[in-house]
Amino acid sequence: MAAAMASAAERAVLEEEFKWLLQEEVHAVLKQLQDILKEASQRFALPVSGSEGAIKQENFVLSTSGSCVLGMKTTSSHMFVSSFKDINLKMPRNNQLLHFAFREDKQWKLQQIQDARNHVNQAIYLLMNRDVNYQFRTGSEVLKLMDAVMLQLTRARNRLTTPATLTLPEIASGGLTKMFTPALPPDILVNFYINLNKLCLTVYQLHVLQPSTTKNFKPAGGSVLHNPGAMFEFGNQRYEVSHVHKVESVVPWLNDALVFFTVSLQLCQQLKDKISVFSSYWNYRPY
Amino acid sequence: MKVTIQAVAVWGKIAPSHSITAIMITDDQQTIVTGSQEGQICLWDLSSELKVSSKEILFGHTASVTCLAKARDFEKQPYVVSAAENGEMCVWNVASGQSVGNTKLPYRHTAICYYHCSFRMTGEGWLLCCGEYQDVLIIDAKTLSVLHTLTSSQYSDWINCMCIVHSTRIQEDSLVAVSIGGDLKVWDLSSSLNSIQERQSVCEKESKSLHCINCRAIRFCTYTERLLLVVSSTCWQVYDYCDFSLLCTEFCKSGQCFAGGEVLAAYRLILWTEDGHSYIYQLLNSGLSKGIYPADGKVLKETVFPHLLCSTGVKENKSFPFVMGFMNERKEPFYKILFSGEASGRITLWHVPDVPVSTVDGSPKEIPVTTTWTLQDNFDKHHSVSEGIIDYLCASEDGNENAVVSSSVYIPSLDKLVCGCENGKIFVTLALRTVRARLLENISLFKDNLPYKVLTGHSSRVTCLLYPHDKLTRFDPSWLLSGGQDSVVICWDIFTGEILHQFTLQSGPVTELLQPPEDCRVNQSIVCCVCRDHSVAVLHLQDGVCLLHARKHLFPVKMIKLDPVENLLIVGCEDDSVYIWEIETGTLERHETGETAKAIFSSIDESEYLMAGVQLPISQDSKRHKDTAYKFSSSCKRGMHVPCPHLGDNSSKLCFCFCFFQLPDTGHIQQSFTVLPLKTKWNNINFHVLLFDLERLVELLTSQLSGLKSSNSFHDYDTLQRVKSTAEKRSRTLKRNKTAGSICAVNGQVNTVCANQDHTDSSVRPLEESGGMKRHKKMKSSRKNKLQPLGNIDVNITDTAKLFLSCLFPWGVDKEIDNLCVSYLDILRLQCPVSFGLVSDENYMSLMLPGWSSTDCGVLEERAVINLFSKRVLDLANKFLSATEGQTGRKDGPGNNIHGSQGSETVFLLNRIALINRIINIPLDISEVESIFYLYACMYNKNRFYAPDFENISLMKLTRCWSDQSIKIIEAMQAVLLAEVQRTVITLRKTAVCREPLPILENGNGKGNQWTSQLKLSCSFATELSMSLGVPKHDKGSNSTSFQDAEDTPDRCVLEESESPGESHLKTVTNW
């Protein structure tokens, strides 16, 4: 059962098996991982600049949550990397319908998607570096590679599952507010983010706090979603959030990507486990 | 003020793994700095003959190091910055090995460039960083805070690589960067200094898509001031910097990937690949050299083509990713060096000739490897330094050297060190004596008489050990748990060596043994055990049953919590999923992922984990607790749930640093000496670090000497309780020993008893006590309650102090001094140089590596010097002597102390060293007045040191300026120790006859306090000075009386005669 007791014949067999694992099995798994991740990466793929003609259109109707109706249409294959067309906001305040679109001359990217894409590409690059001709000599080499790949994949997944917590001034000063045409009214803040497989849009309606107000001013900290009543200071002016509208829509390909991440993480871990089984059998060699 | 703890590393035969992920050579070409996947930084000495030798290893990062860069103008300050995978950044002084600053930001950097523009910039310069975030961050090199960002107006993306373009022709410093999408961006630096300082947004000046994916390096040719080398993994390209037109492209051989490149000279480039090859190209051109006219771009493009001149290679690429760099220095005596670091930890250097040429027939010439070196080479070369802590035991046991320690645990309350070996044996020894036997010379006596026990039960490597009683008293004090590669957990009786229970789990090697935290309401004696197949077993030790073996986990276990109320086991895995098991039925109740799992994670307080995560907010806490020494109950609690330094394979990354600051602080306040076993990640190599808490050592020694024991403030309820429990334990074990009749065990036990009973006897003759067993037992029963609280520390303290001095002292500088040390101080010579180290509360530790002795002081061959830290020590010692020469007529000092007992001399030396330590630890960037204030605080805050006199003040001034010159603390301490001993020799010669006893002014307790308060009131230095002169005299009288009072306790009237070398220096204490 243990190393000390393993007979010479047993050892020979184990060595043979370990050799097979390093030479054959590892490459098979790496190939499989590459395929999965390439598939995932295609979901994030950028339209190659210059091939604007091949743009396919995606429509997202963000569900309504009662007071705020929002319809949205995007052009370009990936809204996240370029632009939204037509955002319709129906304000409960005066029932007025606000209509916005993204400016054509500026580009705005959803940071989460960009980061996730970059992480996946890094993972693919790590895997591609060891092509079929590369011979793994030790198990720890494989373990280190797997650790590096898993780190990138975990980051990619976490990027999608955990939206950034932003403070209201950060949202106000971010590039997104300047992306709209016609420009947003000064009492409205918007924020887009990804939460798991959902694209979320939050719209904050603000009202200005008069300097003479008796209200205790307490600036709100960072949060994914701020509640009505949150206060902040921006450009020498104090604001309070009066209404918050949140709408979200499921993005099918994000779901795919998350599944791909999970599957490849499991594959990596399984490979690591297979390698470490053999570590039990010889003590002094770095397996 | 920083608090530092002195450490001595006892390495094993095998070097800790160091998978190089970043490498650089400092500007003075004397040091190679490498960062590793394990998170350590290694400093290597590079000699002028291009020989490499490891010097020091720095612990500070808790994750893999991603990049290294210089952090200051190197001529002024030898600082290097390192960044880690988890966002940590640390600035190191590579000359002294100390951390200068650190921070943790939510950014992961992959490259850092240092930029300083001396005439337009205030401060220490900027670190321009890029990594896994958009665009470029500007970080202040001094404070390490984010100053600003360089933003892109379009195609904002991660930056892959960058370089600073500094050209006299262009008159503008720029940052050229290539993004991950292949866009080249240029930011102006010098002209946007103002807007950066005013925090206006700075956008790129130019942006151009290069269509090169995976760009690895970009370099500007400073020779031609117009070529730009862009290296991507598949090809390298040369652009014209003026208009970014492409001049040439060269693709790499199939199966290779370019990893970087550098400009060698005008039109000469060096490129290297990921598998460790490099190629030197000459750019053959016809028109390029003539024209600096961008308009010619198109023509030039036709005319430039590369010609391969030379290449370098490695015979066999042992470990794949090579990190390479090139150092281009044209000044004599500097070399052009191509250097590489491998994942296996190997460093290879190539000396590239100034004018590389191809062979006669035009084929590329192979440049041979100049040097190649690994950490292991150093360990092999200095094998006496790198001998493991119990290697001689194993050798004597079965003659083969294979018994490498694979896991170990130190039990402070018993002063026992338990080491599990590769061959399945477990050695139980007495820690301090084992260490003495390992480090000191000529103690074959020690080695032969060293009591130890061997526990045999495991059939293969012992992977982890746990002594649960140490942290939780409801566990029986005799229980010792060990887990093995054979998937067996054995519960031993540590005193008799018998197997109490054996659990066979059959799920691969046991990777971790964990116990519940103190405040958790689990009342039974339950431990958890994690196996390689990610299963968790809940073991009930009292009943000897395995309550639950949870086997469904797909990913490594990150945290475990026992819920005693619901009788649940909550297991968190590395993929952020949570498994909840019902212990009674053994069923999986819930398996949660995603949001729910996150909620469960966040609802569990960190203190409830059996195993804490990697990132613990310990550092701040430990700092606080250090100051308030007796209020340590809460830090105690915190110490419990850290599985401490056992870093099994599945505890992700190394978390050395966090563990450090708990051990010395928490468990045992009386402990001035601790053995800290550490394990590295990949090769499971165990080494031990001995920690000496100098402050405490001095405190305890002083109190021991002056008889103030009973009034010590730290004898609070906690300690008393502990002592009580250890007393109980001892009586029990004695009984056991009788019945068991194992000679070895009895011997060991007696030593412990002696150690705790009769300090006078055993401190002087630690070897002669084995006969006195009966006497001690009698004494025990009668004097148990009185003596034990005090006695517990005595023998260890004296021995520890002596061991510390032995380790610090530079042996062989002067024979006379050596002899004096041996005879007067009763310290023993070292067997071999020790690897000294320093642990600071700022989360870092530095340890010398076995090669250090050959690096710094190789010049002093004429004398066989052992353990001299550097040549500088001798200069410093001389300076110190001459600076304090004028005050030979001082009232207190070694000249007089030499006639006192040996103990007081030791105390004096330790005091001095501790003082130096404190002075050097004073922050550098404070004003004059503040620093004076600090100096006084240094002397008084521990409240039992010498009254100030001229000598002390000049000493402070001297050492104060040392700390400005990046002299290591250790060097300073060694210098002062050497100087003080030298001075003692001189005084001894003069006053050999005179033996007039004088009181020592070291228990000026109340005075000290009063002083500090006075100082706070009056900040003027002059008054302080005059007072400091006036008071000692006045002090003397009052002290000597109180001193005698204190000495009335009978057990102090003791002769210390055994070490007298024939002369009559011994003196009874009652004479005072």
Side-chain angles (χ1 to χ4, degrees):
Chain A
M1 65 180 196
M5 297 180 183
S7 68
E10 228 178 314
R11 268 174 179 278
V13 172
L14 283 169
E15 296 242 6
E16 202 58 34
E17 203 174 329
F18 189 54
K19 227 161 120 191
W20 169 83
L21 181 67
L22 285 187
Q23 283 170 3
E24 311 288 330
E25 177 71 0
V26 169
H27 281 295
V29 175
L30 293 192
K31 179 81 183 51
Q32 204 180 348
L33 274 172
Q34 273 188 45
D35 292 346
I36 297 173
L37 291 181
K38 274 182 185 153
E39 193 67 28
S41 158
Q42 272 170 21
R43 299 294 195 278
F44 293 101
L46 272 175
V48 182
S49 46
S51 62
E52 300 291 332
I55 285 170
K56 66 173 193 258
Q57 189 160 325
E58 275 182 293
N59 283 309
F60 293 98
V61 178
L62 300 192
S63 62
T64 109
S65 56
S67 52
C68 166
V69 184
L70 190 139
M72 193 164 63
K73 240 171 26 179
T74 67
T75 56
S76 110
S77 72
H78 287 299
M79 67 215 181
F80 309 102
V81 215
S82 71
S83 59
F84 294 96
K85 279 267 167 81
D86 303 330
I87 297 171
N88 298 302
L89 280 175
K90 196 174 166 192
M91 287 310 176
R93 185 175 44 180
N94 40 12
N95 254 350
Q96 105 197 67
L97 189 74
L98 297 172
H99 175 90
F100 306 102
F102 266 36
R103 278 161 64 171
E104 297 283 348
D105 57 331
K106 276 193 146 187
Q107 193 203 33
W108 180 79
K109 299 179 189 182
L110 197 52
Q111 185 70 46
Q112 281 177 288
I113 298 290
Q114 191 184 44
D115 286 347
R117 186 198 71 207
N118 285 344
H119 282 301
V120 176
N121 287 342
Q122 299 259 310
I124 294 175
Y125 180 70
L126 284 169
L127 292 170
M128 299 239 287
N129 252 334
R130 270 55 159 209
D131 62 359
V132 196
N133 300 320
Y134 182 75
Q135 284 205 351
F136 288 96
R137 283 178 177 80
T138 59
S140 65
E141 209 180 333
V142 183
L143 294 184
K144 280 175 190 170
L145 173 67
M146 284 298 106
D147 275 354
V149 171
M150 284 171 84
L151 187 72
Q152 293 295 342
L153 290 179
T154 318
R155 289 212 166 129
R157 197 179 59 175
N158 285 349
R159 210 63 191 86
L160 299 181
T161 53
T162 42
T165 53
L166 294 170
T167 62
L168 287 162
E170 275 168 352
I171 297 173
S173 58
L176 183 61
T177 41
K178 301 176 193 90
M179 280 305 300
F180 293 96
T181 171
L184 283 178
D187 64 340
I188 285 187
L189 276 186
V190 290
N191 187 27
F192 279 103
Y193 60 86
I194 302 282
N195 192 4
L196 285 166
N197 57 354
K198 294 188 288 282
L199 170 69
C200 306
L201 167 68
T202 44
V203 178
Y204 298 103
Q205 253 180 286
L206 313 171
H207 74 85
V208 178
L209 284 174
Q210 296 308 316
S212 58
T213 182
T214 48
K215 248 186 185 172
N216 256 347
F217 177 75
K218 207 175 128 233
S223 166
V224 176
L225 183 66
H226 293 271
N227 291 321
M231 287 180 267
F232 70 103
E233 192 166 352
F234 183 68
N236 293 328
Q237 185 73 268
R238 286 174 173 184
Y239 298 94
E240 186 183 12
V241 174
S242 58
H243 292 90
V244 180
H245 315 286
K246 184 187 168 195
V247 283
E248 54 187 36
S249 155
V250 172
V251 183
W253 64 264
L254 272 180
N255 205 25
D256 295 352
L258 283 168
V259 171
F260 288 140
F261 292 159
T262 311
V263 170
S264 21
L265 275 170
Q266 276 172 7
L267 266 176
C268 290
Q269 184 59 46
Q270 278 165 17
L271 183 61
K272 273 179 81 177
D273 289 346
K274 280 179 203 163
I275 296 280
S276 20
V277 164
F278 286 91
S279 72
S280 327
Y281 291 97
W282 29 86
N283 277 340
Y284 314 115
R285 214 162 359 129
Y287 50 88
Chain B
M1 215 180 343
K2 287 193 290 188
V3 180
T4 49
I5 294 172
Q6 319 305 320
V8 170
V10 182
W11 303 101
K13 284 213 163 52
I14 300 170
S17 62
H18 188 74
S19 314
I20 297 172
T21 53
I23 185 167
M24 68 173 282
I25 296 185
T26 56
D27 285 357
D28 59 359
Q29 248 185 40
Q30 285 177 3
T31 314
I32 303 176
V33 188
T34 55
S36 71
Q37 187 162 35
E38 291 83 0
Q40 288 96 50
I41 308 279
C42 204
L43 304 180
W44 311 69
D45 186 76
L46 181 63
S47 70
S48 50
E49 297 88 43
L50 292 182
K51 292 270 170 291
V52 181
S53 175
S54 60
K55 206 161 63 172
E56 212 165 346
I57 188 162
L58 311 173
F59 297 77
H61 287 299
T62 52
S64 171
V65 176
T66 54
C67 58
L68 293 166
K70 73 169 181 178
R72 292 288 195 286
D73 217 352
F74 206 79
E75 282 78 39
K76 290 178 197 146
Q77 285 171 310
Y79 290 0
V80 163
V81 65
S82 61
E85 196 81 58
N86 57 357
E88 291 168 339
M89 286 177 87
C90 202
V91 179
W92 306 90
N93 181 337
V94 290
S96 72
Q98 289 186 52
S99 151
V100 186
N102 56 3
T103 187
K104 189 167 179 181
L105 299 169
Y107 304 104
R108 180 180 176 246
H109 311 299
T110 50
I112 298 177
C113 285
Y114 175 71
Y115 179 68
H116 184 64
C117 180
S118 50
F119 52 95
R120 270 187 273 188
M121 234 161 128
T122 54
E124 298 287 356
W126 294 339
L127 301 172
L128 304 172
C129 307
C130 68
E132 292 182 354
Y133 44 85
Q134 283 184 327
D135 303 326
V136 178
L137 280 180
I138 302 174
I139 289 177
D140 188 282
K142 187 158 195 214
T143 60
L144 292 182
S145 55
V146 178
L147 286 178
H148 204 55
T149 49
L150 300 176
T151 51
S152 327
S153 54
Q154 52 180 341
Y155 305 116
S156 186
D157 207 341
W158 296 3
I159 300 294
N160 247 0
C161 53
M162 56 185 184
C163 77
I164 290 174
V165 172
H166 173 82
S167 147
T168 44
R169 184 171 63 84
I170 304 165
Q171 289 289 318
E172 164 80 49
D173 294 346
S174 326
L175 183 78
V176 184
V178 182
S179 75
I180 206 163
D183 296 315
L184 182 116
K185 289 156 200 267
V186 183
W187 282 278
D188 281 345
L189 286 176
S190 33
S191 63
S192 49
L193 274 176
N194 281 336
S195 41
I196 289 170
Q197 269 150 9
E198 284 158 23
R199 312 230 162 200
Q200 293 156 355
S201 79
V202 179
C203 284
E204 77 269 34
K205 187 181 73 178
E206 270 174 275
S207 175
K208 188 190 186 232
S209 180
L210 299 183
H211 301 295
C212 77
I213 306 300
N214 253 315
C215 184
R216 306 299 303 272
I218 181 162
R219 288 288 176 272
F220 176 70
C221 173
T222 49
Y223 306 94
T224 55
E225 299 198 335
R226 75 172 295 183
L227 296 186
L228 198 63
L229 169 69
V230 177
V231 184
S232 77
S233 54
T234 51
C235 65
W236 59 268
Q237 296 172 316
V238 177
Y239 288 87
D240 188 332
Y241 184 64
C242 302
D243 59 354
F244 299 115
S245 59
L246 181 65
L247 298 181
C248 77
T249 305
E250 175 88 356
F251 288 92
C252 74
K253 283 194 239 163
S254 72
Q256 287 191 326
C257 286
F258 283 123
E262 187 69 74
V263 180
L264 259 180
Y267 305 113
R268 201 169 293 141
L269 310 168
I270 183 164
L271 280 307
W272 52 85
T273 61
E274 289 223 340
D275 55 359
H277 291 81
S278 80
Y279 304 95
I280 296 173
Y281 286 98
Q282 175 80 47
L283 292 181
L284 295 180
N285 58 304
S286 47
L288 230 169
S289 56
K290 284 182 239 153
I292 317 174
Y293 311 107
D296 296 356
K298 232 173 188 170
V299 190
L300 291 175
K301 193 173 170 180
E302 315 290 319
T303 57
V304 176
F305 64 95
H307 171 68
L308 185 62
L309 284 180
C310 302
S311 68
T312 66
V314 277
K315 288 209 177 65
E316 193 181 314
N317 47 346
K318 290 194 186 90
S319 50
F320 185 50
F322 281 75
V323 207
M324 298 181 83
F326 182 75
M327 171 136 206
N328 207 351
E329 283 284 353
R330 285 190 291 183
K331 284 175 292 183
E332 286 295 324
F334 292 126
Y335 302 100
K336 289 174 190 283
I337 304 172
L338 175 73
F339 50 93
S340 87
E342 294 171 40
S344 63
R346 176 171 295 277
I347 288 180
T348 313
L349 300 182
W350 291 269
H351 177 199
V352 176
D354 281 345
V355 185
V357 285
S358 54
T359 49
V360 190
D361 60 345
S363 60
K365 193 163 127 186
E366 171 101 13
I367 298 173
V369 170
T370 311
T371 317
T372 173
W373 200 252
T374 61
L375 218 50
Q376 187 60 48
D377 291 337
N378 261 105
F379 275 64
D380 293 344
K381 196 172 156 198
H382 305 271
H383 49 86
S384 61
V385 186
S386 59
E387 191 187 316
I389 196 159
I390 59 156
D391 278 3
Y392 52 89
L393 283 186
C394 309
S396 66
E397 177 69 18
D398 46 12
N400 74 30
E401 293 177 43
N402 278 341
V404 181
V405 176
S406 54
S407 64
S408 61
V409 65
Y410 173 63
I411 308 169
S413 57
L414 303 176
D415 187 40
K416 273 188 190 215
L417 184 68
V418 184
C419 297
C421 292
E422 292 276 6
N423 56 11
K425 287 185 173 137
I426 300 171
F427 288 84
V428 184
T429 61
L430 289 176
L432 187 60
R433 300 189 59 192
T434 312
V435 169
R436 278 161 58 95
R438 158 70 182 81
L439 293 175
L440 302 179
E441 192 191 54
N442 281 339
I443 0 183
S444 50
L445 213 57
F446 273 162
K447 290 187 184 176
D448 297 341
N449 288 1
L450 187 72
Y452 69 95
K453 248 178 302 179
V454 184
L455 314 179
T456 5
H458 287 287
S459 60
S460 61
R461 183 199 296 167
V462 182
T463 50
C464 49
L465 290 163
L466 178 74
Y467 182 70
H469 173 75
D470 225 17
K471 290 162 188 165
L472 219 51
T473 40
R474 70 163 167 271
F475 288 95
D476 192 288
S478 65
W479 285 346
L480 172 76
L481 289 163
S482 68
Q485 186 100 50
D486 48 5
S487 202
V488 171
V489 175
I490 299 179
C491 181
W492 307 85
D493 185 320
I494 194 173
F495 301 112
T496 63
E498 67 185 287
I499 296 178
L500 298 176
H501 303 291
Q502 183 162 342
F503 305 91
T504 310
L505 299 169
Q506 297 194 327
S507 18
V510 181
T511 53
E512 246 157 329
L513 284 166
L514 306 153
Q515 62 182 111
E518 193 179 40
D519 49 353
C520 158
R521 289 149 295 176
V522 185
N523 285 322
Q524 300 135 318
S525 45
I526 284 179
V527 292
C528 284
C529 148
V530 185
C531 296
R532 180 60 64 65
D533 68 349
H534 318 312
S535 65
V536 177
V538 183
L539 308 177
H540 194 290
L541 295 183
Q542 193 78 57
D543 301 351
V545 288
C546 175
L547 294 178
L548 166 70
H549 196 169
R551 287 183 190 256
K552 276 221 169 70
H553 316 127
L554 288 176
F555 278 80
V557 176
K558 201 164 71 175
M559 56 132 276
I560 301 174
K561 191 209 160 184
L562 280 173
D563 188 334
V565 182
E566 313 255 348
N567 207 14
L568 294 175
L569 174 76
I570 303 162
V571 180
C573 291
E574 253 168 30
D575 63 339
D576 291 330
S577 60
V578 176
Y579 295 79
I580 299 177
W581 299 83
E582 209 167 273
I583 294 178
E584 196 153 321
T585 58
T587 50
L588 178 62
E589 205 188 64
R590 278 164 81 189
H591 173 214
E592 298 290 353
T593 51
E595 291 288 309
T596 333
K598 246 190 254 174
I600 295 174
F601 269 124
S602 59
S603 71
I604 298 174
D605 183 43
E606 208 165 78
S607 65
E608 294 169 32
Y609 291 159
L610 265 76
M611 184 195 331
V614 182
Q615 286 147 18
L616 287 169
I618 297 283
S619 51
Q620 298 91 353
D621 281 40
S622 69
K623 231 180 228 171
R624 204 176 339 112
H625 289 302
K626 216 154 212 162
D627 296 333
T628 58
Y630 40 89
K631 198 197 154 197
F632 72 117
S633 55
S634 64
S635 72
C636 222
K637 270 179 210 154
R638 194 173 272 290
M640 298 297 169
H641 11 101
V642 181
C644 261
H646 294 276
L647 303 156
D649 277 355
N650 69 11
S651 72
S652 54
K653 304 295 171 194
L654 297 185
C655 53
F656 287 63
C657 318
F658 295 109
C659 312
F660 279 117
F661 309 111
Q662 296 173 21
L663 273 178
D665 275 355
T666 54
H668 295 267
I669 191 103
Q670 300 193 344
Q671 216 73 27
S672 56
F673 168 77
T674 313
V675 182
L676 188 66
L678 291 176
K679 204 180 234 183
T680 55
K681 191 182 177 192
W682 293 109
N683 55 3
N684 268 325
I685 292 311
N686 246 75
F687 60 95
H688 296 82
V689 178
L690 320 175
L691 300 174
F692 295 93
D693 190 338
L694 195 51
E695 296 292 334
R696 185 154 309 284
L697 199 58
V698 171
E699 205 172 308
L700 292 171
L701 260 183
T702 320
S703 64
Q704 185 186 338
L705 204 74
S706 55
L708 290 172
K709 291 187 248 179
S710 46
S711 63
N712 273 345
S713 61
F714 49 77
H715 280 164
D716 55 3
Y717 180 64
D718 248 15
T719 3
L720 282 174
Q721 227 183 4
R722 178 167 296 120
V723 168
K724 211 169 146 194
S725 71
T726 42
E728 272 170 27
K729 174 194 330 165
R730 282 213 182 82
S731 57
R732 198 181 325 175
T733 51
L734 271 178
K735 267 183 238 150
R736 272 212 191 101
N737 284 343
K738 264 189 227 156
T739 50
S742 138
I743 290 170
C744 186
V746 170
N747 196 5
Q749 199 47 49
V750 166
N751 282 330
T752 334
V753 174
C754 293
N756 293 296
Q757 283 292 316
D758 197 337
H759 67 94
T760 53
D761 233 355
S762 48
S763 67
V764 181
R765 287 162 297 212
L767 288 176
E768 294 170 23
E769 74 252 303
S770 43
M773 185 177 165
K774 271 182 198 164
R775 183 163 60 96
H776 291 312
K777 259 196 274 178
K778 266 181 214 156
M779 275 161 60
K780 186 189 182 83
S781 50
S782 58
R783 292 163 64 188
K784 186 162 82 182
N785 291 332
K786 255 192 189 171
L787 243 181
Q788 275 212 336
L790 319 169
N792 198 14
I793 49 177
D794 279 357
V795 65
N796 285 346
I797 292 303
T798 329
D799 277 356
T800 309
K802 284 175 186 167
L803 179 65
F804 179 71
L805 289 178
S806 293
C807 289
L808 191 61
F809 192 76
W811 296 95
V813 173
D814 187 332
K815 276 241 165 66
E816 199 182 350
I817 295 178
D818 281 10
N819 291 339
L820 178 99
C821 284
V822 174
S823 56
Y824 283 99
L825 298 180
D826 185 30
I827 63 176
L828 288 156
R829 270 175 240 264
L830 283 176
Q831 198 175 339
C832 54
V834 294
S835 305
F836 232 86
L838 202 65
V839 180
S840 111
D841 57 348
E842 286 169 343
N843 266 359
Y844 83 94
M845 171 173 84
S846 61
L847 293 177
M848 287 175 169
L849 286 164
W852 67 266
S853 50
S854 59
T855 61
D856 251 351
C857 47
V859 185
L860 293 153
E861 309 95 345
E862 72 270 21
R863 286 168 286 181
V865 184
I866 294 183
N867 211 37
L868 182 64
F869 288 136
S870 71
K871 278 176 288 181
R872 226 166 8 182
V873 168
L874 295 181
D875 302 339
L876 294 179
N878 288 336
K879 256 188 225 160
F880 179 82
L881 263 183
S882 58
T884 53
E885 198 57 55
Q887 290 91 40
T888 38
R890 69 219 137 87
K891 298 156 288 294
D892 60 338
N896 296 318
N897 276 345
I898 200 70
H899 301 291
S901 66
Q902 295 158 352
S904 63
E905 176 65 7
T906 318
V907 171
F908 173 78
L909 289 175
L910 282 177
N911 251 330
R912 268 297 150 91
I913 297 167
L915 186 65
I916 300 298
N917 192 11
R918 280 196 299 273
I919 295 171
I920 291 194
N921 278 334
I922 297 173
L924 274 176
D925 47 352
I926 51 171
S927 70
E928 190 71 18
V929 181
E930 269 179 304
S931 72
I932 289 165
F933 195 77
Y934 262 116
L935 291 182
Y936 279 93
C938 272
M939 299 180 70
Y940 290 114
N941 67 349
K942 291 288 174 177
N943 75 31
R944 52 178 66 102
F945 301 112
Y946 294 86
D949 51 35
F950 260 134
E951 193 228 1
N952 272 347
I953 287 162
S954 58
L955 170 115
M956 282 177 183
K957 283 187 176 160
L958 187 71
T959 40
R960 195 68 190 120
C961 73
W962 288 356
S963 62
D964 299 337
Q965 304 161 11
S966 69
I967 283 168
K968 293 184 196 180
I969 296 182
I970 290 166
E971 286 172 350
M973 291 195 321
Q974 192 170 39
V976 171
L977 177 63
L978 186 63
E980 290 293 350
V981 175
Q982 266 171 351
R983 201 209 318 257
T984 315
V985 177
I986 298 162
T987 355
L988 193 74
R989 282 198 202 114
K990 284 184 194 157
T991 61
V993 200
C994 160
R995 246 175 289 129
E996 188 191 349
L998 275 175
I1000 314 154
L1001 296 181
E1002 54 203 14
N1003 57 341
N1005 243 335
K1007 282 283 180 248
N1009 282 334
Q1010 194 187 327
W1011 265 86
T1012 347
S1013 54
Q1014 277 179 355
L1015 283 171
K1016 274 174 193 160
L1017 292 174
S1018 64
C1019 265
S1020 132
F1021 183 41
T1023 43
E1024 281 161 15
L1025 208 71
S1026 64
M1027 284 161 82
S1028 65
L1029 280 169
V1031 174
K1033 292 173 203 151
H1034 167 77
D1035 236 15
K1036 204 165 101 187
S1038 64
N1039 265 331
S1040 52
T1041 48
S1042 68
F1043 200 69
Q1044 266 166 3
D1045 287 352
E1047 285 307 317
D1048 279 346
T1049 40
D1051 62 317
R1052 290 294 308 162
C1053 313
V1054 170
L1055 270 173
E1056 301 193 359
E1057 56 189 346
S1058 67
E1059 263 70 25
S1060 67
E1063 295 174 63
S1064 51
H1065 306 104
L1066 47 117
K1067 201 176 63 66
T1068 52
V1069 182
T1070 37
N1071 273 1
W1072 295 2

